Amino acid sequence: MSLLNALETEAQPQVIASGGLKRRRHVLDLDDFSRQEILEVLESAEGMSEVLHRDIKKVPALRGRVVVTLFYEASTRTRMSFEEAGKILSADVINMSASGSSAEKGESLLNTGLTIQAMGVDTIVIRHPHSGAPYLLAQHLDKVGIINAGDGIHAHPTQALLDLYTVKEKLGRLEGLKVVIVGDVLHSRVARSNIWGFAKMGAQVVLCGPSTLLPLDMLRPSGVPANDEPLASVQVETNLDQALEGADVVMALRLQAERQNGGFLPSMREYIRRWQVTEARLGRSSPDVMIMHPGPMNEGIEISSTLAHGGRSVIERQVTNGVAIRMALLYHLSAGVGA
Ligand code: CP
């Protein structure tokens, strides 16, 4: 049965998925996704995108399922797209913020998770400022699927999947592309998940920024990456012009002021001068280079406004594709949870 038929007929997702995706209960990061599993998610997102672009965006696939978005940090894109994704698939979606919940009275994350599980919820989508928070829930909750919507500086796997999907949609492939990730890599969970995702799919990943904002612990002192496939292919370059040479994809990262205690940069002016991604700096990139940003952007700091809203930018397309990817994940996870 095709995915689109299954979505219309309320067929169990097990019928559609195969391999690892069929058994998957949680999405915590891309380090435990196989290449095949990533491809399967991207392929499913194509079908979901077709539903998303209909006049009437509604299929019965997840009728009777309950999804909770549990956000301990601010979000626009991730939270809204999960809510929209769940609603298009006919799941009941409950949004919960730490603010206004019993977390404010000191309830622990684990007790909050157990409470949500006791209400018969199928999937929890969690964003939390502490790295590892989704893993804690995944270890202790046995009836609920957990999706990591961003934990501390650790991982943001659904963002990476939508980024992979957006590149594949535009350029037709992932293997062999040069993907340059520029900026505050050190504090970026988006970068960490994208490094796994793009490297697994055979892209050449180059990290660029001030050395103080690059995760050099990933690499040996000589600059040779640790012997950890697929990360062994990741390169680090502090000179933006050199990094951009021959780039197919440039992803600018938000300078995360809220995670910096100072001391990382000589000055904002210096950062802008050396690492802001602008039209003028793309001269040595591929003529069709695509410009990405996970959002929210600091326009005029890590990326120029002209580039962010120009013809090479796919930043709004990333947002649209985020809904399709999250539909695919909610759908397939409901099979793993129900199995
Ligand atoms: N990219 C991203 O996670 O955006 P939000 O913080 O708006 O969800």
Side-chain angles (χ1 to χ4, degrees), residues 71 74-79 127 149 156 159 189-190 294-296 326:
F71 276 53
S75 168
T76 299
R77 281 149 280 269
T78 313
R79 182 170 175 151
R127 171 168 289 190
H156 196 348
Q159 176 72 44
R189 54 196 177 205
V190 173
R326 286 155 182 149

Side-chain angles (χ1 to χ4, degrees), residues 72-92:
Y72 288 78
E73 266 188 3
S75 168
T76 299
R77 281 149 280 269
T78 313
R79 182 170 175 151
M80 277 189 65
S81 60
F82 267 113
E83 182 175 354
E84 187 181 3
K87 286 179 172 172
I88 291 172
L89 295 172
S90 298
D92 292 303

Side-chain angles (χ1 to χ4, degrees), residues 1-15:
M1 185 186 295
S2 74
L3 174 65
L4 286 175
N5 283 341
L7 293 175
E8 300 297 345
T9 59
E10 296 182 56
Q12 284 299 300
Q14 288 98 315
V15 174

Side-chain angles (χ1 to χ4, degrees), residues 313-330:
S313 169
V314 293
I315 294 170
E316 287 178 26
R317 189 68 193 171
Q318 287 173 266
V319 177
T320 306
N321 289 340
V323 183
I325 282 289
R326 286 155 182 149
M327 286 170 71
L329 292 173
L330 288 177

